Amino acid sequence: MLEYVDKIRETARKLLDSGTVEVFIGYKKGSVPMMNEPVLIKDPDQADILWWDSNCALNLCNYLTKRKEKIGILATGCNSRNIVTHIIENQISREQLYIVGVPCKGMLDHRAIKRAVDNKEILEVSEDADTITVKGRDFEKTLEKKEFLQSNCAVCRHRNPVLYDELVADLVEEQEGVDPYKDVRAVESMDPDKKWAFFTRTIANCIRCYACRNACPLCYCPTCFVDESRPQWVGKSIDPTDTMTFHFLRAYHCAGRCTDCGACERVCPVGIPMRQFTKKLNKDAEELFSWEAGLALDQRPPLDVYRPDDYNDFIL
Amino acid sequence: MENKVFSKDEWLEGIKALQSEYKVFVPVKAGDFHKFVRLEEQTIPDLDYQNTRLSPKSLVYPESERMFEFSTDENDPDYNILKEAQKDFGPQAIIGLRPCDAHGFLIVKRNFDNPEYKDPWWVRRYEASTLVGLGCNEPCGTCFCSSVGGGPFDEEGLDVLLFDLEDQYLAKALTEKGSTLLAKLDGGSEASDKELSKAEEVKKAAQEKISSKVDTSKLADKDVLELFNAPFWEDLAFACINCGTCTFLCPTCWCFDIQDEVYQKIGDRIRNWDACMFPLFTLHGSGHNPRSEKFQRVRQRFMHKLKYYVDKYGNGVQCSGCGRCVQFCPVNIDIRHVIELMNSH
Ligand code: SF4
Ligand code: SF4
Ligand code: SF4
Ligand code: SF4
């Protein structure tokens, strides 16, 4: 997706120059391989620091909450769906935004790439349209990007932005016939003991750093339930019960809102696949309410409206 | 002090035998990264690693630690009396930690063990620990230990330093504690001149491999308010998501929070690692938060490490150059860049 860089810079420069926007939010190239830094620029002359590659996999919508200016922002499919969700939830207004859509070809799973070189230190990466080449002290390896996509990107059905004012490139073809919930079904089919063991194992390494929560644009509450002390909903130590409570409640707070952008999983310093929890709820939202988050501005999410034909089998 | 050479197999057998006298901690590969665990029957130590994802600070200063217990039962004669929780301060050996992490302990020590304050638990656990370091033959691209008072084979803060000489370890005793530990190991032989000079070569080669350098020389002379009011903080902080990654992974961050947890009529007073990046860190009971803005929290982390600490202790920066935050900050806020901004401001 390197081919987008020039167009992104040109667009940002134009928008800032003309005063269409006061600030522009994108990425700048990171100082370590496969990391890029979200950046906000105000001056058209800064446009040349903007960058785009297959490791721009945070969620820029996270930086919009309650901002006051007129903002230009880059948005992939999932990021644009979070922007829609943000607008619906009154965290930003549509009028404030100039959305520069980025048709996405999928982001790379930095952990899988490191695994492919036995977790040896990667010192340099370069990519072209289909491959990524990683170099370390005593190795060099070229990998097919499509085999190293983040697991959410591999099953993504909305690569193209759903809401935009202009695009940096032609729309890409959407992936057909993907099976987004295979992993969820595997967990659903476990008996309760196995499920519990699976959950316990999944979060065992969690250090409660909250990077997953904080990387997510959905988590904007002024005081998160885990930080609340009167009453205290959840203990703050690394007792497994408390850690589990944090993860389950966080997931429930994302029900019907999560776009499976993968930012939470990407940022975890210890590699916990906490999307296993949100994905189950995404699947329920889709199966029970025919709902995928953030596709349209004029539809209310299933958990904040009542419809007579809502699924209600769970009511005893 | 002695220098002994062990074959790698001999060494691994030897540390197993230490279990009768020490709690032994070793790095193991756990999924995609390495971490320190207690050596047990099934443990497979893996000393062929660059560094552990989390620093070994938790072996002296656990992420969550019960300090006291108490009863909330009014009929209990000890109702509401805090009693120190049972803790184990038996001797422990941390095998294979990196010199930067030993340096990390020394930095933390200035806070937990000084003439003014002594943290009883930190001090006792630290004193019960024997630190067996492993020099870094292959420092990471993000390591800048040699710019902040350390180095890939730095001996400070260690009791023993191991040199990896391909199929052997040369173990250099650095303190009494270290000699005592080495004396308990079977096998090994006095290092020959040849082995000693090989160790020197390995060390020199490693020092040359450090590619990351920072300049901290001007920090001490800067005016603290000028740095505090520097124009770069807001831009620098933009990307930060105020998570606990940098502080929790860091060997030199020491802040904690104290919480009471009560279950039925039994209470625990627990201390948990805290992070200056969390908004809750400075929230007052009144609801006022003196660091309500993100940039203030980011500024605090770096000002503390690179200015307040420097001024207070006159002993360099509160960073051992381990590079963990550089590698794992999810939004790539790179302390090397911050040092450059502050040092040249
Ligand atoms: S929960 Fe995770 S995948 Fe879902 S929107 Fe938030 S960051 Fe993205
Ligand atoms: S980012 Fe990872 S370690 Fe941090 S709280 Fe989330 S799951 Fe736990
Ligand atoms: S600097 Fe990076 S690791 Fe530290 S709190 Fe901010 S986002 Fe998290
Ligand atoms: S490099 Fe970062 S994680 Fe390591 S000691 Fe310095 S501040 Fe801490």
Side-chain angles (χ1 to χ4, degrees), chain B residues 80-288:
Chain B
N80 268 355
I81 294 178
L82 291 173
K83 295 194 209 153
E84 195 172 333
Q86 281 275 335
K87 294 182 208 293
D88 176 1
F89 295 107
Q92 59 179 17
I94 308 177
I95 312 280
L97 81 163
R98 295 300 187 181
C100 58
D101 288 340
H103 184 190
F105 281 121
L106 291 182
I107 290 173
V108 175
K109 190 169 191 291
R110 293 192 186 104
N111 181 58
F112 282 146
D113 183 9
N114 57 50
E116 241 178 309
Y117 301 104
K118 295 217 184 292
D119 182 289
W121 306 306
W122 191 92
V123 170
R124 287 177 70 186
R125 249 191 232 102
Y126 181 71
E127 286 175 351
S129 304
T130 303
L131 305 184
V132 180
L134 172 63
C136 305
N137 290 11
E138 296 291 340
C140 300
T142 45
C143 296
F144 55 100
C145 51
S146 46
S147 302
V148 289
F153 281 80
D154 198 51
E155 298 175 358
E156 228 195 320
L158 286 170
D159 299 301
V160 176
L161 177 61
L162 296 177
F163 294 75
D164 182 337
L165 308 178
E166 283 173 52
D167 43 9
Q168 294 172 314
Y169 290 117
L170 184 146
K172 182 172 180 190
L174 302 165
T175 63
E176 277 309 314
K177 258 191 198 170
S179 295
T180 310
L181 182 139
L182 285 186
K184 294 183 201 294
L185 293 174
D186 282 340
S189 52
E190 199 55 36
S192 66
D193 285 347
K194 194 168 153 229
E195 284 150 350
L196 285 171
S197 65
K198 197 163 166 203
E200 273 313 304
E201 276 165 36
V202 166
K203 173 174 166 177
K204 208 162 152 257
Q207 283 164 336
E208 279 161 15
K209 281 186 197 161
I210 297 276
S211 54
S212 214
K213 304 219 161 62
V214 295
D215 180 5
T216 61
S217 61
K218 302 203 186 86
L219 292 170
D221 296 331
K222 298 276 170 196
D223 181 76
V224 71
L225 277 179
E226 257 176 50
L227 274 183
F228 186 87
N229 293 318
F232 49 72
W233 294 113
E234 292 221 31
D235 278 349
L236 184 76
F238 172 75
C240 178
I241 57 172
N242 275 167
C243 65
T245 304
C246 50
T247 48
F248 285 7
L249 265 51
C250 178
T252 74
C253 279
W254 58 54
C255 291
F256 59 80
D257 177 36
I258 295 177
Q259 290 269 324
D260 282 357
E261 287 187 10
V262 177
Y263 177 66
Q264 293 174 341
K265 303 233 168 205
I266 302 167
D268 281 331
R269 180 156 293 179
I270 303 173
R271 72 164 169 195
N272 298 309
W273 289 353
D274 203 352
C276 55
M277 291 298 202
F278 295 157
L280 204 63
F281 188 77
T282 45
L283 183 64
H284 294 183
S286 67
H288 172 65

